[in-house]
């Protein structure tokens, strides 16, 4: 909050508003609850007694410290004086403008949160597992052709052949790789093209999982 905002209350100079806490030093037992409770730094403790050293920092209309004080040592003026000022100074034009700004700020924050959530839901990487008899299917070449001129890449490619003889006898092998987006875009729609390629090559897509 700016200094200007601190010193006015809806356009009224704060020092003109008679809303400050008063501590009855004889009733105060020095529990420090008001000191800890007040988020505006109104209180300090002096010789075991609460002392409202910055009374103009007190939020107009707040009486929290007075409500929680175990000995009712804190009192406030009547709210009548505040209500009178509200009427006389016609603060509601100012309040209306402040409310408008608050709505605008909240709408902006909501829009930003929604945008951040949308970005968080985008998967820029996906893990793919393919199984089958790769033989002369030129799968790697076709994969290379698929990503050519597209903002995607294939990384961490591993090819597992159970045994060389087994591969010759057309035993299934496994290939794993990751699809990444070069522009940090969602890879999910592109996975459909990878699925189609695997299917077209007569292989089995074990999984195609977006991983964030
Ligand atoms: S809460 Fe009441 S009793 Fe406790 S320190 Fe404050 S004024 Fe004193
Ligand atoms: S009334 Fe509220 S703002 Fe004022 S001194 Fe007490 S806790 Fe702080």
């Amino acid at each position: 909050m700016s200094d200007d905002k601190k010193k006015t209350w809806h356009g009224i100079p704060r020092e003109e508003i008679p809303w400050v806490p008063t501590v009855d030093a004889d009733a105060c037992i020095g529990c420090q609850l008001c000191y800890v409770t007040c988020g505006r730094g109104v209180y300090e403790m002096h010789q075991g007694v609460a002392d409202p050293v910055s009374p103009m920092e007190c939020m107009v209309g707040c009486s929290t410290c007075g409500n929680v004080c175990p000995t009712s040592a804190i009192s406030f003026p009547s709210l009548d004086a505040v209500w009178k000022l509200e009427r006389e100074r016609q603060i509601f034009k100012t309040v209306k403008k402040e409310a408008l700004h608050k709505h605008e700020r909240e709408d902006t924050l909501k829009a930003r949160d929604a945008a951040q959530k949308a970005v968080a839901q985008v998967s820029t990487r996906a893990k793919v597992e393919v199984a089958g008899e790769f033989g002369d299917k030129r799968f790697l070449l076709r994969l290379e052709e698929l990503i050519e001129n597209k903002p995607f890449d294939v990384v961490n490619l591993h090819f597992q052949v159970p045994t060389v003889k087994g591969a010759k006898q057309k035993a299934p092998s496994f290939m794993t790789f990751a699809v990444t987006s070069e522009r940090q875009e969602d890879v999910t729609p592109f996975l459909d093209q990878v699925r189609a390629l695997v299917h077209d090559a007569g292989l089995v897509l074990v999984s195609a999982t977006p991983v964030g």
Side-chain angles (χ1 to χ4, degrees), residues 26-205:
D26 292 333
C28 175
I29 56 170
C31 73
Q32 306 190 64
L33 187 54
C34 55
Y35 172 69
V36 172
T37 300
C38 180
R40 294 194 153 212
V42 169
Y43 291 101
E44 283 181 10
M45 298 301 295
H46 288 142
Q47 296 175 337
V49 174
D51 185 356
V53 290
S54 304
M56 289 300 152
E57 294 300 318
C58 177
M59 180 165 32
V60 176
C62 178
S63 55
T64 301
C65 54
N67 293 338
V68 296
C69 173
T71 60
S72 301
I74 303 171
S75 59
F76 291 87
S78 161
L79 271 168
D80 288 343
V82 177
W83 292 330
K84 190 164 173 270
L85 269 177
E86 288 176 1
R87 285 193 303 274
E88 285 176 357
R89 300 294 184 91
Q90 300 185 350
I91 67 166
F92 291 103
K93 277 186 197 159
T94 308
V95 170
K96 207 171 171 180
K97 277 189 205 158
E98 289 168 344
L100 190 66
H101 288 145
K102 186 171 179 179
H103 287 304
E104 284 171 356
R105 274 199 307 278
E106 285 181 351
D107 288 349
T108 305
L109 287 176
K110 276 183 197 157
R112 192 197 62 189
D113 286 351
Q116 283 176 342
K117 269 188 196 153
V119 168
Q121 280 167 359
V122 166
S123 296
T124 59
R125 189 179 174 93
K127 204 173 156 191
V128 180
E129 293 175 276
V130 181
E133 194 274 295
F134 286 79
D136 56 0
K137 293 192 167 83
R138 300 171 66 245
F139 181 71
L140 265 185
L141 273 179
R142 294 177 70 180
L143 192 59
E144 201 180 311
E145 281 164 15
L146 183 69
I147 61 170
E148 202 175 334
N149 300 323
K150 293 196 181 80
F152 299 103
D153 203 354
V154 167
V155 300
N156 292 342
L157 193 142
H158 297 277
F159 189 48
Q160 285 181 298
V161 179
T163 69
V164 173
K165 283 185 181 171
K168 272 191 176 170
Q169 289 159 13
K170 305 199 179 215
S173 303
F174 290 91
M175 184 182 283
T176 60
F177 55 88
V179 175
T180 60
S181 164
E182 293 170 345
R183 297 183 194 154
Q184 298 300 298
E185 289 169 357
D186 194 357
V187 295
T188 314
F190 181 64
L191 285 183
D192 288 339
Q193 295 182 47
V194 176
R195 279 190 193 96
L197 175 67
V198 172
H199 183 258
D200 199 45
L203 297 167
V204 177
L205 186 75

